[in-house]
Amino acid sequence: MGQNYSRFLEKIQQIHDLEKALQLMSWDRDVNMPPAGAEIRTEQMATISKMIHELRSSDEMGELLAAAEEDLYREEADYDSTEASLVRYIRRDFEERRLIPADYVRRASEANGRAIPAWKKAREENDFASYAPHLKGVIELVQEEVEYRGYEDEKYDAMLDQYERGMKTAEVRAIFQAVRDATQPLMEAIKERVDAIDDGFLFQPYPVEQQQAIAPFFARAVGYDFNRGHLGTATHPFATSFNRNDARITTRWNPNFLSPFIFGVMHECGHALYEHGTGAELKRTPLARGTSMGFHESQSRLFENMVGRSLGFWQTHFKVLQDAFPGQLADVTVAEFYRGINRVKPSFIRVEADELTYNLHILLRFELEQAMLEGDLQAGDLPAAWNEKMQELLGVVPPSDREGCLQDIHWTRPGFGYFPTYALGNFYAAQIMEAALHQEPAIQEELQAGRVDALLGWLIENIHHHGKKYDPAELAERATGRRLDPKPFITYVWDKFGAIYDLH
């Protein structure tokens, strides 16, 4: 490739290094930083965020980009090449960033920095009123950003597109409705067998120290490499990566409930494995990330549920868990454990929900975000609206805001549009697994023996390696032969829970 492209790449790598330094500051803030450091850290991160935005939207970047495009045209670069993919990505990013004032980026970063400790404190003290002014500020920032970005159909499209490129609100709405219609009869049938499964053994004292000792085992069992990773503790579990050889995960610990740490670890491992699998040729560029949050969540939900809640996994690994907690699990069989961790029942907490009711938690947030963005729901009215939606969708009302509208960290940042990708991730995961099992029969045999080598190899080759080279719709076509289709998910849950609840 010519000198123009080389100069362009050098600038992109420099900016990318700054972005990763900012990300490291964010990880440290959420995992290690003492509370008193929040104010200055917020200022530091706001300064660097503004710098990065200015660099990526500068006239110099426009000139470097145009020159690199000339090199690609002259040398007839292949569409699938790293060079062509990077230039495509940066061209779109550059044009979108030119729409957003640098001052807005700084203000948004500052709002995020102030909102996070306020949310943590409000959640701990069950005090929504103290957090409401921060949420009000976030809503106003999102409304402002929408006007900068513009939209054709619905305001929410402008935010959704930041997380699931090319997806429209109306399309998500239709997919959600199709899944709800197709799975409602299944949920109704399960309700009639509400006492068919006992999961009481999950709700006992489980010392945190023992959870922390055994957690790395489950990370390794799904393919996580601690030579390239780290497990930390966070109020709200997350994963982050600084390069393909440094992808870190976090989880949280509940001393009276076994499931959260196990499935939190597996969920975040799915994210980290995606980052570990990106191609080495993408390093120090923004292509070395998952293509969309829907695809990213497909990996976390696949490893959490399709692997982590499978019978084969626990037939192989349950003895390890029993040995770690003999007093609690000695009299529990593998079959009882498998059924217990897959019990379907309405719950207050999204991250602890079963695979069937989980999507209703996302639908709730999807609808509330739209209402807040449109100005139909004010920040101070969120708790009442939340509880009303919980009653409507799940038939339960949380006993406190801590277990209701304060449970998620996402609204501490102007991050409207993220939540739908969790449910989209469920649907992508089923479609991806269907394709993987069809293309590589050895995967099924390994999964039944609690192993993931063949599955992980397929995912790296067909999804992870490409990073952000292709948009989600294009990657879905390449990996599975079609765009996102909820039918494999519908088939998957009917088969799985039909068998668990003896509905066939």
Side-chain angles (χ1 to χ4, degrees):
M1 199 56 64
Q3 291 184 350
N4 289 332
Y5 179 83
S6 296
R7 285 193 291 269
F8 162 77
L9 179 60
E10 182 180 6
K11 177 62 69 174
I12 291 299
Q13 290 175 331
Q14 291 171 353
I15 297 171
H16 188 68
D17 291 345
L18 278 176
E19 290 173 327
K20 291 304 179 182
L22 178 65
Q23 205 167 330
L24 181 59
M25 295 174 74
S26 176
W27 179 86
D28 176 74
R29 175 194 64 192
D30 294 336
V31 177
N32 288 329
M33 189 187 73
E39 181 178 355
I40 300 301
R41 179 61 57 87
T42 294
E43 295 175 3
Q44 294 166 339
M45 293 179 67
T47 296
I48 298 175
S49 295
K50 183 171 180 284
M51 287 175 55
I52 291 169
H53 179 78
E54 289 173 337
L55 287 168
R56 291 187 68 163
S57 61
S58 66
D59 291 342
E60 179 191 11
M61 176 56 70
E63 294 165 1
L64 289 169
L65 179 57
E69 288 171 330
E70 291 179 7
D71 277 5
L72 295 182
Y73 179 78
R74 183 173 55 254
E75 300 189 23
E76 299 181 344
D78 185 82
Y79 177 87
D80 292 335
S81 68
T82 299
E83 294 82 3
S85 299
L86 179 60
V87 168
R88 280 197 308 274
Y89 178 86
I90 296 299
R91 166 55 70 186
R92 186 171 58 202
D93 178 81
F94 173 76
E95 292 177 352
E96 291 181 355
R97 285 179 181 271
R98 297 281 278 194
L99 301 172
I100 311 295
D103 175 66
Y104 172 84
V105 174
R106 181 181 181 90
R107 287 188 288 115
S109 179
E110 289 173 340
N112 172 238
R114 292 190 296 266
I116 286 178
W119 168 77
K120 288 181 178 179
K121 186 171 185 292
R123 182 178 179 275
E124 181 179 346
E125 298 176 359
N126 189 36
D127 179 17
F128 178 81
S130 67
Y131 174 64
H134 294 277
L135 178 59
K136 180 177 183 292
V138 166
I139 294 171
E140 291 170 351
L141 283 165
V142 173
Q143 291 169 336
E144 182 180 350
E145 183 174 346
V146 165
E147 296 307 314
Y148 292 136
R149 293 188 180 279
Y151 56 93
E152 293 180 357
D153 302 318
E154 301 182 52
K155 289 182 179 181
Y156 196 77
D157 291 345
M159 303 309 298
L160 177 63
D161 193 65
Q162 305 310 301
Y163 300 99
E164 197 63 20
R165 174 69 64 179
M167 188 75 76
K168 295 286 190 179
T169 307
E171 185 179 359
V172 172
R173 194 178 293 123
I175 291 173
F176 283 7
Q177 189 61 51
V179 172
R180 190 178 180 189
D181 290 345
T183 57
Q184 190 66 34
L186 176 59
M187 287 189 276
E188 292 298 326
I190 289 173
K191 280 182 184 178
E192 297 180 6
R193 292 166 170 77
V194 66
D195 297 323
I197 293 176
D198 176 20
D199 64 350
F201 55 84
L202 297 172
F203 299 90
Q204 304 181 65
Y206 285 94
V208 169
E209 294 80 5
Q210 290 171 250
Q211 294 183 39
Q212 292 172 334
I214 196 66
F217 171 83
F218 293 110
R220 293 187 180 96
V222 296
Y224 188 65
D225 181 359
F226 277 95
N227 288 322
R228 305 165 68 193
H230 172 85
L231 172 59
T233 299
T235 303
H236 194 290
F238 69 97
T240 192
S241 73
F242 308 107
N243 59 70
R244 68 191 299 270
N245 290 318
D246 185 359
R248 306 180 189 183
I249 61 173
T250 64
T251 194
R252 63 186 178 201
W253 319 95
N254 187 326
N256 298 302
F257 184 18
L258 180 63
S259 295
F261 95 90
I262 298 175
F263 299 110
V265 164
M266 293 184 185
H267 180 100
E268 302 308 335
C269 278
H271 285 303
L273 291 169
Y274 199 163
E275 302 292 313
H276 279 164
T278 56
E281 68 278 9
L282 308 179
K283 66 181 181 182
R284 295 183 67 210
T285 78
L287 296 184
R289 297 299 309 275
T291 187
S292 73
M293 288 316 303
F295 257 90
H296 237 303
E297 296 301 341
S298 78
Q299 301 307 284
S300 62
R301 299 294 289 171
L302 186 153
F303 279 96
E304 175 190 354
N305 293 321
M306 295 183 170
V307 174
R309 284 187 165 91
S310 70
L311 180 58
F313 184 87
W314 290 107
Q315 284 176 330
T316 299
H317 301 302
F318 185 55
K319 182 66 165 57
V320 175
L321 192 63
Q322 274 186 319
D323 289 346
F325 300 104
Q328 296 89 340
L329 299 175
D331 297 328
V332 179
T333 67
V334 174
E336 289 169 339
F337 185 80
Y338 168 69
R339 286 162 61 83
I341 61 175
N342 284 292
R343 184 182 180 189
V344 175
K345 59 180 178 179
S347 61
F348 305 127
I349 306 299
R350 171 183 63 85
V351 297
E352 297 171 4
D354 59 82
E355 291 177 86
L356 272 181
T357 61
Y358 183 93
N359 295 318
L360 298 177
H361 288 265
I362 302 306
L363 178 60
L364 176 147
R365 291 154 174 80
F366 175 58
E367 293 183 349
L368 291 179
E369 282 190 339
Q370 292 174 72
M372 287 189 283
L373 180 57
E374 293 289 348
D376 298 330
L377 175 61
Q378 303 304 310
D381 298 327
L382 178 63
W386 182 286
N387 292 348
E388 183 180 343
K389 280 286 182 187
M390 283 289 290
Q391 179 64 53
E392 173 193 338
L393 295 173
L394 288 150
V396 296
V397 176
S400 69
D401 292 336
R402 176 191 172 98
E403 296 170 284
C405 62
L406 284 173
Q407 66 183 267
D408 291 308
I409 195 173
H410 302 64
W411 289 334
T412 64
R413 55 184 182 266
F416 283 34
Y418 187 121
F419 276 121
T421 66
Y422 285 109
L424 297 177
N426 284 333
F427 311 149
Y428 275 126
Q431 184 171 325
I432 288 166
M433 183 65 89
E434 179 185 74
L437 292 173
H438 176 73
Q439 296 174 27
E440 181 51 74
I443 293 174
Q444 183 66 56
E445 182 179 344
E446 284 198 1
L447 289 176
Q448 290 172 349
R451 302 198 310 274
V452 299
D453 294 350
L455 173 61
L456 188 53
W458 188 94
L459 292 170
I460 291 171
E461 179 181 354
N462 291 279
I463 294 174
H464 301 176
H465 183 85
H466 299 303
K468 279 185 175 289
K469 287 177 67 173
Y470 310 115
D471 281 350
E474 185 177 5
L475 184 58
E477 288 269 8
R478 288 170 177 260
T480 72
R482 63 189 191 275
R483 291 171 61 95
L484 178 60
D485 181 355
K487 291 178 183 176
F489 174 80
I490 294 167
T491 300
Y492 161 73
V493 292
W494 269 97
D495 287 347
K496 177 176 180 176
F497 292 100
I500 289 174
Y501 281 89
D502 194 24
L503 299 176
H504 300 315

